[in-house]
Amino acid sequence: MSRDEAKAIRDVELEKDRARYGLLAVVISNLAIAGVAVLGVWRLDGDKAVIVGVLTAAFTAVSSMTTAYLGIKAVSNTARSIALGDGGLRQQPLAPAPPPGQRTG
């Protein structure tokens, strides 16, 4: 195994660990937010206006955290693939079609 292959394997493992622990942090944070919201609703004893506010805030926090993680992960993956030179593997666009009525062959 060459030095470059060993480095590539370490990079892949590091990226897997980052993704795994990042997702774990988001899931734990979302569960904590949901737990606090449930506890808050339970302790409010039926005050509907406040319950709606608590649940709305909890939903906003969970969706914002999840969206931020997924957005950052997507940008990170894109930047990494560009840095590694994988960006040129996409198909080149086809030549534009000739105008109608023009013969090509």
Side-chain angles (χ1 to χ4, degrees), residues 14-35:
L14 177 63
E15 197 61 35
K16 284 182 182 179
D17 288 343
R18 284 181 181 167
R20 186 175 297 127
Y21 291 118
L23 183 61
L24 182 64
V26 170
V27 168
I28 289 172
S29 298
N30 287 347
L31 289 174
I33 291 167

Side-chain angles (χ1 to χ4, degrees), residues 2 14 22-23 35 37-38 43 50-51 55 61 69-71 78 80 85 96:
S2 72
L14 177 63
L23 183 61
V38 167
R43 298 283 297 169
V50 178
I51 289 173
L55 293 178
Y69 170 75
L70 293 176
T78 302
R80 185 171 185 271

